[in-house]
């Protein structure tokens, strides 16, 4: 076999055998094995009886062990798919979630194709949302911020990988932005309450606190963004925020109190309340 990714040195350990010994869910084991062999998952099925050379076997077993110890697959492989895009991820950024793809859809529904528009993404992390929007609507002017330098550097790299034109700004929410206003502001801000039990379970244990924790009740960042977005939205502009599965009522109330119109909440693919949107009809504050 002439595939540089899979050497056939006689170790006696086959692809199928390695997957079976992993003790991991099949998909996770396959992703980890592919990350070492540099191949697609389909190849593991078509070449299940192929033997793997000893250095690859060692590397794969190392990755299996890290996963069994709880480390997220995406941090081990350094990759995560979001909205059909392969993104780089590191432990310095949140692993983009499938539920966040809903934000991209909601944003696209509110931006007329072909019409020039300025979009702001707050807390871009790996750049997932901004890059997905840029890829879907190349004509948009997109500004994306984060307070984490490491996140911005990674987002920059991901944007370059995907040929996405995005202006990245190191900023505490709106603080370092110029005076511009936007047709749409979108954010998946940190919204887990301090001390929440989920923070010490599963993938969240490994993710940056800065990306997760939104103050005592989880809503500190959402409140700040929703209030300050008013001065940054053009009249007729939209605010779209992701929130926790149990934060729908408080987010809807907040947006209505702040004077947003057509406030609506949206479910994710799992049927859980996940995103709140409001239309800003007022005259911007500055
Ligand atoms: C929940 S993560 C979302 C990351 C990415 N947008 C996504 O959906 O996968 C929240 C992001 O907000 C950033 N963040 C936290 N506090 C911030 C602040 N004060 N100003 C700007 N960004 C902030 C974090 O660094 C993190 O990247």
């Amino acid at each position: 076999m002439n595939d540089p990714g899979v050497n056939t040195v006689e170790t006696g350990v086959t692809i199928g055998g390695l997957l079976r010994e992993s003790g991991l869910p099949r998909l996770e084991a396959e992703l980890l094995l592919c990350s070492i062999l540099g191949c697609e998952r389909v190849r593991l099925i078509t070449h299940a009886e192929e033997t793997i050379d000893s250095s690859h076997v060692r590397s794969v077993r190392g990755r299996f062990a890290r996963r069994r110890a709880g480390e997220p697959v995406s941090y081990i492989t350094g990759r995560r798919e979001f909205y059909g895009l392969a993104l780089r991820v590191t432990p310095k950024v949140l692993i983009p979630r499938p539920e966040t793809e809903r934000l991209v859809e909601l944003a696209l529904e509110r931006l007329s194709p072909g019409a020039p528009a300025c979009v702001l993404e707050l807390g871009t992390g790996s750049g997932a949302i901004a890059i997905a929007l840029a890829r879907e609507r190349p004509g948009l002017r997109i500004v994306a911020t984060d307070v984490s330098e490491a996140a911005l550097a990674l987002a920059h790299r991901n944007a370059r990988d995907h040929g996405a034109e995005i202006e990245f700004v190191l900023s505490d929410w709106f603080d370092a932005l110029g005076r511009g206003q936007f047709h749409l502001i979108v954010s998946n801000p940190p919204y887990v309450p301090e001390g929440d039990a989920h923070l010490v379970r599963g993938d969240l244990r490994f993710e940056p606190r800065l990306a997760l924790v939104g103050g005592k009740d989880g809503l500190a960042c959402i409140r700040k963004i929703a209030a300050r977005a008013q001065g940054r939205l053009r009249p007729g502009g939209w605010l779209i925020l992701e929130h926790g599965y149990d934060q729908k009522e408080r987010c809807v109330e907040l947006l209505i109190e702040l004077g947003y119109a057509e406030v609506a909440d949206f479910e994710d693919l799992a049927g859980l309340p996940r995103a709140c949107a409001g239309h800003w009809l007022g005259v911007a504050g500055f």
Side-chain angles (χ1 to χ4, degrees):
M1 181 105 348
N2 287 328
D3 187 332
V6 184
N7 299 320
T8 52
V9 173
E10 282 310 314
T11 55
V13 180
T14 63
I15 285 178
L18 254 187
L19 290 171
R20 281 191 296 277
E21 74 166 49
S22 71
L24 296 170
R26 178 83 185 191
L27 174 63
E28 294 185 357
E30 286 182 358
L31 290 172
L32 292 169
L33 185 47
C34 287
S35 72
I36 292 291
L37 299 182
C39 66
E40 299 291 326
R41 281 173 54 217
V42 65
R43 198 173 193 295
L44 305 182
I45 298 160
T46 53
H47 293 71
E49 294 313 313
E50 194 167 275
T51 55
I52 304 176
D53 78 82
S54 50
S55 73
H56 281 161
V57 170
R58 252 195 324 277
S59 306
V60 173
R61 284 182 175 149
R63 291 192 175 193
F64 285 168
R66 285 166 65 186
R67 179 58 192 145
R68 284 194 298 271
E71 202 173 330
V73 171
S74 299
Y75 286 158
I76 301 172
T77 62
R79 289 283 187 282
R80 177 70 166 207
E81 193 176 302
F82 180 85
Y83 217 81
L85 301 166
L87 297 178
R88 296 170 195 271
V89 292
T90 73
K92 300 275 188 197
V93 299
L94 188 95
I95 299 165
R97 307 290 205 271
E99 51 266 33
T100 302
E101 294 182 358
R102 191 77 182 99
L103 262 68
V104 177
E105 290 167 0
L106 291 168
L108 291 173
E109 285 165 14
R110 284 161 181 74
L111 294 162
S112 320
C118 305
V119 173
L120 172 64
E121 192 213 346
L122 296 165
T124 195
S126 61
I129 298 171
I131 296 168
L133 289 173
R135 293 288 307 170
E136 290 295 314
R137 297 279 168 81
L140 291 175
R141 179 184 163 231
I142 302 180
V143 178
T145 72
D146 208 290
V147 78
S148 154
E149 280 187 49
L152 273 193
L154 185 75
H156 223 280
R157 196 154 177 218
N158 276 324
R160 214 174 41 227
D161 286 350
H162 290 286
E165 287 242 355
I166 295 164
E167 195 182 314
F168 290 105
V169 183
L170 183 66
S171 179
D172 181 352
W173 302 131
F174 300 88
D175 287 358
L177 293 175
R179 294 178 61 82
Q181 290 188 318
F182 300 88
H183 296 87
L184 186 142
I185 297 176
V186 60
S187 183
N188 171 20
Y191 54 69
V192 181
E194 274 168 26
D196 189 288
H198 294 95
L199 291 169
V200 290
R201 290 194 208 134
D203 285 3
L204 269 61
R205 284 173 292 166
F206 294 84
E207 294 179 293
R209 286 288 171 277
L210 181 65
L212 295 171
V213 179
K216 261 201 167 66
D217 65 354
L219 294 170
C221 303
I222 288 178
R223 278 192 208 98
K224 206 177 265 185
I225 292 171
R228 294 189 58 196
Q230 298 180 327
R232 289 296 187 161
L233 281 168
R234 290 172 180 241
W238 286 94
L239 174 67
I240 304 172
L241 295 171
E242 181 167 323
H243 60 66
Y245 68 94
D246 55 354
Q247 295 170 339
K248 167 181 164 176
E249 284 74 20
R250 285 174 291 164
C251 286
V252 167
E253 233 168 70
L254 173 70
L255 264 55
I256 291 172
E257 265 171 29
L258 287 169
Y260 289 88
E262 296 171 60
V263 176
D265 204 81
F266 302 88
E267 293 180 349
D268 60 24
L269 287 173
L272 295 170
R274 186 58 66 191
C276 197
H279 205 181
W280 182 245
L281 304 175
V283 176
F286 57 91

